[in-house]
Amino acid sequence: MSKLNIAIVISTTRATRFGHKPAQWIHDIAAQRDDIALEIVDLRDFPMPFFDEVASNAWAPSQNAIAQRWQKKVAEFDGYIFVTAEYNHSMPAVLKNALDYAYPEWNKKPAAFVGYGSVGAARAMEQLRLIAVELQMAPTRTGVHIQGADFMAVWKGGKEITELSYLRQNATDMLDQLVWWANALKAARERPAIPAAA
Ligand SMILES: Cc1cc2nc3c(=O)[nH]c(=O)nc-3n(C[C@H](O)[C@H](O)[C@H](O)COP(=O)(O)O)c2cc1C
């Protein structure tokens, strides 16, 4: 069976961001599996304006060249791990904007989440799960939350995320669920469509 293509999306872009560190951490764990091929996708490389098209690309092709490049990139994958911060109890606006800039490319694929912040971005992740459903994605039950004093220790205290060994089981469970859904949905996407009954 060919490997599943999985994106690890870094969802913050500011100059002093922390987001690339948990992205690298989950990448290094996921890279130990032999059933997935991974790519870290950095939203810094897709600096789209705030949504400025006549419609979602579910309805009308996007005109913006970076948006077109983003949609092509999103289409390459069988599933996604969004590494997200929490900004004012929600997801970073740059991530919501990037989600809005694609539609069919997300459809019928799974989404998993690694969050960091005072509550491990739990509030942002719950909102992301709702959005994922509207994008016709299957969000995994398990997410990874780097939270509280442990987040502060890795954010400002010089501790490594690898030292938070209890996160490892969550990461494994989340990846197992992501791969299960990615395999199931890939098979379903590739199955010939059943003609609608007359
Ligand atoms: C605009 C803004 C709002 C924030 N709101 C929250 C919040 O609601 N909950 C939280 O846990 N952390 C919050 N934080 C702190 C972030 O957890 C922390 O800055 C984190 O490093 C942000 O991710 P980033 O460095 O990848 O941008 C906020 C940070 C910013 C810049």
Side-chain angles (χ1 to χ4, degrees):
M1 192 187 283
S2 61
K3 290 188 178 189
L4 297 162
N5 289 322
I6 302 294
I8 297 172
V9 180
I10 306 178
S11 305
T12 58
T13 55
R14 66 197 183 92
T16 58
R17 74 172 179 203
F18 173 76
H20 54 284
K21 291 186 180 171
Q24 191 62 51
W25 170 79
I26 193 65
H27 173 276
D28 293 348
I29 293 173
Q32 292 168 26
R33 302 181 65 112
D34 59 10
D35 50 1
I36 53 180
L38 293 161
E39 180 176 333
I40 292 182
V41 177
D42 191 339
L43 292 185
R44 279 182 182 167
D45 297 330
F46 298 90
M48 294 169 280
F50 278 120
F51 192 88
D52 190 23
E53 300 288 336
V54 293
S56 156
N57 74 325
W59 306 106
S62 298
Q63 300 301 307
N64 181 278
I66 306 172
Q68 291 172 359
R69 188 163 58 79
W70 169 244
Q71 290 159 8
K72 282 202 184 86
K73 176 54 67 181
V74 172
E76 289 176 15
F77 300 102
D78 301 305
Y80 310 86
I81 300 168
F82 296 97
V83 178
T84 187
E86 184 171 87
Y87 285 0
N88 294 314
H89 293 197
S90 187
M91 73 229 55
V94 70
L95 172 58
K96 178 60 164 61
N97 197 46
L99 290 166
D100 291 342
Y101 259 116
Y103 188 80
E105 297 82 2
W106 300 120
N107 289 178
K108 303 181 175 87
K109 297 175 184 176
F113 305 98
V114 173
Y116 52 93
S118 59
V119 295
R123 295 165 294 217
M125 279 164 58
E126 287 300 286
Q127 294 175 41
L128 281 163
R129 287 191 169 98
L130 293 174
I131 293 165
V133 171
E134 176 56 16
L135 294 171
Q136 300 188 47
M137 305 178 86
T140 60
R141 178 205 181 226
T142 299
V144 177
H145 302 272
I146 304 168
Q147 61 186 313
D150 283 341
F151 169 63
M152 294 305 292
V154 292
W155 185 33
K156 299 285 187 194
K159 198 167 184 174
E160 296 296 327
I161 305 175
T162 48
E163 294 177 59
L164 306 175
S165 54
Y166 67 91
L167 294 175
R168 189 63 196 240
Q169 187 61 52
N170 271 89
T172 300
D173 291 349
M174 183 191 76
L175 290 166
D176 284 347
Q177 292 165 25
L178 181 75
V179 166
W180 190 94
W181 278 108
N183 274 318
L185 294 175
K186 186 178 183 194
R189 288 197 309 277
E190 290 171 353
R191 204 176 297 142
I194 301 166

